[in-house]
Amino acid sequence: MYLEYYGLKENPFNVTSDPNYLFMSKHHKEAYSHLIYGIQERKGFIELTGEIGTGKTTLCRALLREISDKVKTALILNPTLSELQLLQSIVEDLGIKTKARNKFTLLKMLNDFLITELTHGSNVVIIIDEAQNLKGKLLEEVRLLSNLETEKEKLIQIILVGQPQLKDKLNSSELTQLRQRIAVRYHIPPLDKNELLFYIYHRIRVAGGKDDITFTDKAIEQIYSYTLGTPRLINIVCDKILLTGFVSGAKHFDLDIATRATEEIEGKIRVI
Ligand SMILES: Nc1ncnc2c1ncn2[C@@H]1O[C@H](COP(=O)(O)OP(=O)(O)O)[C@@H](O)[C@H]1O
Ligand SMILES: [Mg+2]
């Protein structure tokens, strides 16, 4: 509702995982390099963790967009699947055409597909998002998938993406074999205060905003102390700030507007 007022093409602070908005903080850059390294070097298992809203899914979407013309990819977003459903999703997402509905045929087709890809010099990447929700048994199945390999090379690179509980899960004794196979790991921390500022202006620019939308240092401090640098929360606060600014006719946001926005989110009523 405030887009026209600010001259924006779209809402800069949507909470969808849109890769067009990706801001490469130092840690997002490092995370990205780790993923690329793990894929290129065919490391097998890669683990990407971070608290909720730190940009894991957005980064993976950006990665897929970048590599999907060179590498065959599958993205599993909902891992509360049964074993068979998981396998079906992987097979389908890789573009393997089959009507088969049993595990052994699907595994055989996947294996043939991987061998063909290898002979073409191609690589296959599977991203499993929210992997902390995978049941232990299913994680073990995922490990078995990676047994589809030749003697020298991993045919398939599996990126397990999840909240920090994923680490705890992988530390359980029945998943020792899987844990030992994870060759590349990265944990995305929240943004620092300086990055938070660049993040906000970056998103406004991508959404078509001009430099007449500004924040005072105190406003930035307030956003930081409320969000502790978690991008998803920053989006929620900034959306509120834009709304509050629109209502009060401001494009320059100070501590007062930032505080009003965070208090509104908290459900505190403030008499002005
Ligand atoms: N580095 C980033 N650059 C741009 N937007 C980001 C970044 N990190 C997170 N976000 C935004 O924060 C929100 C949550 O990000 P998401 O990738 O869904 O987090 P996660 O998957 O870690 O829970 C999304 O709106 C996303 O666009
Ligand atoms: Mg996510």
Side-chain angles (χ1 to χ4, degrees), residues 14-18 21-24 28 51-59 129-130 199 203 231-232 235:
N14 256 329
V15 286
T16 52
S17 316
D18 182 347
Y21 280 88
L22 183 64
F23 168 72
M24 282 298 214
H28 288 93
E51 295 288 350
I52 185 162
T54 47
K56 304 179 294 297
T57 304
T58 311
L59 193 74
D129 203 358
E130 304 289 354
Y199 171 86
R203 292 197 66 115
R232 183 169 167 277
N235 285 13

Side-chain angles (χ1 to χ4, degrees), residues 97-240:
K97 301 257 175 296
T98 173
K99 289 208 166 64
R101 285 292 173 263
N102 74 76
K103 187 177 159 185
F104 296 100
T105 318
L106 288 170
L107 273 177
K108 164 92 175 55
M109 299 203 68
L110 182 57
N111 201 19
D112 293 349
F113 174 83
L114 295 177
I115 303 275
T116 312
E117 290 306 313
L118 186 72
T119 50
H120 293 151
S122 185
N123 199 347
V124 178
V125 176
I126 297 176
I127 299 181
I128 304 184
D129 203 358
E130 304 289 354
Q132 79 281 350
N133 291 334
L134 279 181
K135 298 225 163 38
K137 187 167 160 285
L138 218 57
L139 274 168
E140 185 54 19
E141 285 295 326
V142 170
R143 181 182 72 79
L144 295 176
L145 276 186
S146 77
N147 281 350
L148 307 173
E149 62 189 345
T150 62
E151 268 164 30
K152 284 211 265 6
E153 290 189 282
K154 299 274 190 306
L155 294 177
I156 192 167
Q157 321 314 317
I158 301 178
I159 307 179
L160 297 174
V161 181
Q163 293 168 28
Q165 302 91 289
L166 174 63
K167 279 190 181 295
D168 304 335
K169 196 159 228 178
L170 291 171
N171 276 331
S172 71
S173 54
E174 66 271 19
L175 291 172
T176 309
Q177 294 203 55
L178 174 56
R179 185 173 65 250
Q180 287 171 347
R181 281 180 157 226
I182 299 177
V184 180
R185 291 192 164 81
Y186 197 84
H187 181 83
I188 306 182
L191 304 178
D192 66 27
K193 211 181 294 173
N194 205 22
E195 289 173 325
L196 176 141
L197 176 80
F198 286 113
Y199 171 86
I200 292 175
Y201 286 126
H202 170 82
R203 292 197 66 115
I204 290 175
R205 245 193 334 271
V206 176
K210 306 280 172 317
D211 7 331
D212 56 345
I213 307 175
T214 53
F215 294 72
T216 64
D217 291 349
K218 288 256 165 55
I220 293 293
E221 294 269 345
Q222 170 66 13
I223 301 170
Y224 183 75
S225 67
Y226 184 77
T227 62
L228 298 176
T230 301
R232 183 169 167 277
L233 296 176
I234 300 171
N235 285 13
I236 293 172
V237 174
C238 287
D239 180 56
K240 253 307 184 255

Side-chain angles (χ1 to χ4, degrees), residues 58-117:
T58 311
L59 193 74
C60 287
R61 286 195 185 278
L63 174 82
L64 285 179
R65 194 166 65 176
E66 196 58 32
I67 64 173
S68 57
D69 55 340
K70 294 160 232 130
V71 172
K72 292 284 174 11
T73 61
L75 173 64
I76 308 300
L77 287 169
N78 167 22
T80 56
L81 307 164
S82 70
E83 191 186 322
L84 183 62
Q85 285 169 332
L86 179 71
L87 192 55
Q88 275 174 352
S89 306
I90 291 172
V91 164
E92 215 169 90
D93 225 42
L94 286 173
I96 304 170
K97 301 257 175 296
T98 173
K99 289 208 166 64
R101 285 292 173 263
N102 74 76
K103 187 177 159 185
F104 296 100
T105 318
L106 288 170
L107 273 177
K108 164 92 175 55
M109 299 203 68
L110 182 57
N111 201 19
D112 293 349
F113 174 83
L114 295 177
I115 303 275
T116 312
E117 290 306 313

Side-chain angles (χ1 to χ4, degrees), residues 26-40:
K26 173 169 165 277
H27 291 108
H28 288 93
K29 266 190 212 139
E30 280 178 12
Y32 195 83
S33 312
H34 276 71
L35 299 180
I36 293 284
Y37 166 80
I39 294 167
Q40 279 176 352

